Amino acid sequence: MPDLLVEHHGVPVLLCAADGPPIATAQDALDHLVGAAFDRAEVVAVPAERLDDTFFDLSTGVAGEILQKLVNYRLRLVVVGDISRHLAASSSLPDLVRESNRGRQVWFVPDLAALADRFKRPE
């Protein structure tokens, strides 16, 4: 399935394909996700399996670099999928997920239905 631009309650969301290029560095994010900003997307929904394990190991700094790049381009990130093994392996990732899900810039959701539900809620 190719990437798909959809709207949720008036917000353009790029749903990235699960079989797309892996995202392991900030440059990968620029190469494969930031183009969405130029295609009208405000939110980029990336399947968790496309993100390299280093993204979920916060000590590497990869997540911070990628998130900063997306913020610079005014794109919001949604990580879609099961990240339970990463949560179990980290003492700090659960805090990031909890705090991110309280905000507007980065969300972690289990599936696309949960993503759609997030847009129904008042922000």
Side-chain angles (χ1 to χ4, degrees):
M1 172 183 121
D3 294 348
L4 180 66
L5 186 65
V6 300
E7 282 199 18
H8 286 293
H9 293 271
V11 178
V13 178
L14 180 70
L15 301 177
C16 294
D19 60 353
I23 309 298
T25 66
Q27 187 61 50
D28 291 340
L30 288 172
D31 293 344
H32 305 297
L33 303 178
V34 169
F38 304 106
D39 286 333
R40 281 195 328 109
E42 293 176 21
V43 176
V44 177
V46 179
E49 62 265 23
R50 288 230 358 230
L51 296 168
D52 189 80
D53 285 350
T54 57
F55 177 88
F56 299 101
D57 178 356
L58 300 184
S59 69
T60 66
V62 171
E65 290 178 36
I66 289 173
L67 296 177
Q68 186 60 53
K69 293 292 182 194
L70 294 176
V71 167
N72 290 347
Y73 284 91
R74 296 191 172 124
L75 281 172
R76 294 161 51 191
L77 174 67
V78 179
V79 176
V80 181
D82 181 10
I83 62 167
S84 58
R85 80 176 167 91
H86 300 292
L87 292 169
S90 172
S91 60
S92 54
L93 183 61
D95 293 333
L96 174 69
V97 170
R98 184 175 41 260
E99 290 301 316
S100 295
N101 283 344
R102 289 181 182 161
R104 291 180 33 94
Q105 194 63 39
V106 179
W107 294 336
F108 294 82
V109 297
D111 53 39
L112 292 177
L115 172 60
D117 187 52
R118 287 296 305 247
F119 286 101
K120 292 179 186 175
R121 300 181 200 167
E123 295 186 38

